[in-house]
Amino acid sequence: MELFPSTEQQKKSQVKKSGLVVVKNMKIVGLHCSSTDLHAGQIALIKHGSRLKNCDLYFSRKPCSTCLKMIVNAGVNRISYWPADPEISLQNEASNPMTTDDAKLDAKAVERLKSNSRARVCVLLQPLGCSMVQFVEETSTKFDFIQKIVKSQPDSNTDFYTACRQERIKEYESLFLISNEEMHKKILMTIGLENLCENPYFSNLRQNMKDLVLVLATVAASVPVFGCFGFYNSESQRTNETDHQSLPQEIARHCMIQARLLAYRTEDHKTGVGAIIWAEEKSRSCDGTGAMYFVGCGYNAFPVGSEYADFPHMDDKQKDREIRKFRYIIHAEQNALTFRCREIKPDERSMIFVTKCPCDECVPLIKGAGIKQIYAGDIDAGKKKADISYMKFGEVEGVSKFTWQLNPLHTNALEFHDPTARENGVQKTKSLDDQQHQSKKLCLGHY
């Protein structure tokens, strides 16, 4: 949530932007990030109030005393955080000693609040599975968004994806990691984590942090800045003009990356699918997400309580339909609707982000739930794959559909394309920096 697109005013703020996940009874009930005026913990209190009781809170940075005293008072169960530079930065000593002094005083207050709290306040950074990084890297290169680029520019696939990934790794390391190890140790000691400063604990901590940053960057690179979400054109499409208005590209891409991360929680060892639902209020909210608020999320899995061997895991290559998995898997969209934390309001713009095109089983559910917009990859749209059909996606009325597109044909996007390449339906290759710079200017058009 720290990476949620910020306003210029937020980017200039000296206080570190923090992200927060609120969990109750093993269900995500809130995704928040700092705004210009409020920290993530304060926003959680405004949004949830006494409903925070017995919740688990996961912070991307150690919360400050102002946030901690309120959320502890609300009766939360556990507070976990990322062991790096806290919300009030401790890295400004050279440029602003007064800010650092305040941060040190705040760190002492946090420790006192922590020691006198019924809630458990701790670091949460577990090592990833030994093959996790490799698995994410291999599957990311095969993902729908990258595959579209492969088909149009097969020669540039490897270089393009590698360049995207390196760019994201560099960005995330600068945000989440403290490059100077001595500075990192000093900060850990200031925020009461002296026990993590000695080896092998410190080396293991650093390695675990680097591994997680690598996974986040690898997933983000699979939804590249190059390209955008464009309006999916179909003959039966009839919606109000207001529903055609899509999200800014940066926000749409961010939400799709969240869905991609959820896909790795799947119990289906062949196909991971993630879905996340957001909605937009009519007035701007206090949250760092602006008017947008979290509704629910899910991934494809077998019914709750079932064991791995209870149901078939075979795919559509099996001739015997009885031993195929399709009738037993709960789809990501279905789980997101089942375990949502808020109702979908008919008078607000609601949107679902799905890593694959919703199938015929899910499209009526999405429409029936009152969701106004669908964001998805469209590689499967209009196709039938054995027991799975994607024919209803293009036919559904009353829901705007936006799919990730390499070449949206829109007059405002012409500067992004070479004229001769447009005629042939293929985009001329540019440098990665130029592609990323220009793609931010794209407007959504009919595809």
Side-chain angles (χ1 to χ4, degrees):
M1 287 304 298
E2 273 196 29
L3 294 168
F4 197 93
S6 305
T7 62
E8 289 301 317
Q9 191 175 358
Q10 282 178 312
K11 291 176 181 177
K12 293 176 182 178
S13 174
Q14 292 208 2
V15 175
K16 290 282 185 179
K17 184 177 180 180
S18 59
L20 171 61
V21 181
V22 182
V23 176
K24 190 164 191 174
N25 297 327
M26 301 297 291
K27 180 174 74 175
I28 295 176
V29 296
L31 293 178
H32 309 288
C33 62
S34 306
S35 66
T36 307
D37 302 317
L38 295 166
H39 293 184
Q42 294 172 311
I43 290 168
L45 191 83
I46 292 171
K47 295 284 186 179
H48 302 278
S50 62
R51 294 188 299 276
L52 286 175
K53 187 174 182 179
N54 297 325
C55 285
D56 295 332
L57 274 58
Y58 298 88
F59 284 88
S60 64
R61 300 186 180 275
K62 191 168 185 178
C64 65
S65 60
T66 303
C67 295
L68 189 60
K69 66 185 180 184
M70 291 189 293
I71 56 181
V72 162
N73 189 54
V76 299
N77 179 52
R78 180 195 296 260
I79 300 164
S80 305
Y81 59 91
W82 176 262
D85 198 22
E87 191 168 39
I88 297 181
S89 177
L90 286 164
Q91 293 196 69
N92 298 329
E93 190 167 0
S95 59
N96 193 344
M98 187 175 295
T99 303
T100 306
D101 289 342
D102 287 343
K104 288 179 178 179
L105 288 172
D106 190 79
K108 290 180 180 178
V110 167
E111 283 304 298
R112 181 171 291 185
L113 284 164
K114 172 184 170 182
S115 61
N116 290 282
S117 167
R118 289 190 297 267
R120 185 180 177 189
V121 184
C122 59
V123 169
L124 180 68
L125 186 66
Q126 298 175 342
L128 297 176
C130 58
S131 59
M132 181 67 175
V133 175
Q134 181 182 354
F135 174 69
V136 172
E137 185 174 351
E138 288 175 354
T139 52
S140 291
T141 56
K142 299 174 183 177
F143 200 61
D144 296 358
F145 304 103
I146 294 296
Q147 288 304 305
K148 285 188 181 180
I149 298 174
V150 173
K151 290 178 180 178
S152 67
Q153 303 174 7
D155 296 335
S156 65
N157 171 46
T158 304
D159 292 339
F160 174 80
Y161 177 75
T162 302
C164 280
R165 185 166 176 261
Q166 289 301 321
E167 190 71 22
R168 296 288 78 77
I169 291 172
K170 184 179 177 182
E171 176 190 349
Y172 289 8
E173 284 185 344
S174 65
L175 179 65
F176 296 121
L177 293 179
I178 300 169
S179 57
N180 186 306
E181 291 190 6
E182 291 304 314
M183 173 66 78
H184 193 182
K185 287 182 179 179
K186 188 176 178 181
I187 288 173
L188 290 175
M189 287 188 285
T190 305
I191 62 177
L193 298 176
E194 299 92 343
N195 58 325
L196 294 178
C197 293
E198 299 296 328
N199 280 324
Y201 307 111
F202 182 73
S203 298
N204 291 338
L205 175 74
R206 295 278 296 184
Q207 187 58 52
N208 292 341
M209 293 172 75
K210 289 177 181 178
D211 288 344
L212 187 53
V213 165
L214 186 60
V215 166
L216 291 173
T218 301
V219 172
S222 68
V223 190
V225 176
F226 178 53
C228 72
F229 284 92
F231 176 60
Y232 182 85
N233 191 16
S234 62
E235 293 181 2
S236 62
Q237 181 81 30
R238 292 185 183 91
T239 54
N240 295 327
E241 191 64 32
T242 55
D243 290 336
H244 286 174
Q245 297 173 1
S246 71
L247 288 173
Q249 291 298 324
E250 286 185 343
I251 295 178
R253 180 176 168 273
H254 174 85
C255 294
M256 186 57 73
I257 291 170
Q258 289 180 325
R260 287 278 292 122
L261 287 167
L262 283 164
Y264 286 104
R265 297 295 306 273
T266 183
E267 293 175 0
D268 181 354
H269 61 274
K270 184 174 184 292
T271 306
V273 183
I276 188 164
I277 305 171
W278 285 84
E280 192 173 47
E281 298 170 317
K282 291 186 176 180
S283 59
R284 183 174 176 82
S285 178
C286 64
D287 210 324
T289 58
M292 289 184 65
Y293 63 90
F294 170 78
V295 175
C297 62
Y299 50 89
N300 58 331
F302 290 103
V304 172
S306 59
E307 299 292 337
Y308 181 80
D310 285 349
F311 299 112
H313 285 72
M314 301 301 178
D315 58 22
D316 56 11
K317 293 179 182 178
Q318 300 296 319
K319 293 182 180 180
D320 185 357
R321 294 182 64 192
E322 188 175 341
I323 61 173
R324 296 181 189 171
K325 63 190 176 184
F326 301 117
R327 297 183 188 276
Y328 306 99
I329 286 280
I330 309 293
H331 296 191
E333 303 95 315
Q334 296 165 1
N335 269 323
L337 289 168
T338 301
F339 297 107
R340 64 185 184 272
C341 61
R342 302 191 188 197
E343 291 306 311
I344 295 167
K345 299 178 182 178
D347 59 335
E348 293 180 354
R349 179 169 62 164
S350 50
M351 57 211 83
I352 186 168
F353 298 83
V354 191
T355 55
K356 293 184 73 66
C357 178
C359 68
D360 291 357
E361 191 176 319
C362 293
V363 167
L365 286 171
I366 294 170
K367 182 182 178 182
I371 291 175
K372 299 289 196 305
Q373 297 180 342
I374 303 173
Y375 289 79
D378 69 341
I379 284 183
D380 292 328
K383 296 181 181 178
K384 288 184 179 180
K385 295 184 176 181
D387 291 354
I388 297 288
S389 172
Y390 300 92
M391 305 302 291
K392 290 183 180 179
F393 178 75
E395 297 172 359
V396 66
E397 297 181 10
V399 181
S400 294
K401 301 177 290 293
F402 299 94
T403 56
W404 194 91
Q405 298 167 12
L406 186 61
N407 296 329
L409 301 180
H410 190 277
T411 53
N412 290 343
L414 295 185
E415 60 180 287
F416 187 50
H417 306 284
D418 176 72
T420 56
R422 279 202 309 280
E423 292 173 5
N424 297 323
V426 178
Q427 184 169 323
K428 187 175 181 180
T429 304
K430 294 185 179 183
S431 70
L432 180 63
D433 290 339
D434 289 343
Q435 291 165 354
Q436 291 177 340
H437 175 72
Q438 293 289 352
S439 65
K440 292 179 181 178
K441 298 181 180 179
L442 284 177
C443 295
L444 291 172
H446 292 274
Y447 182 66

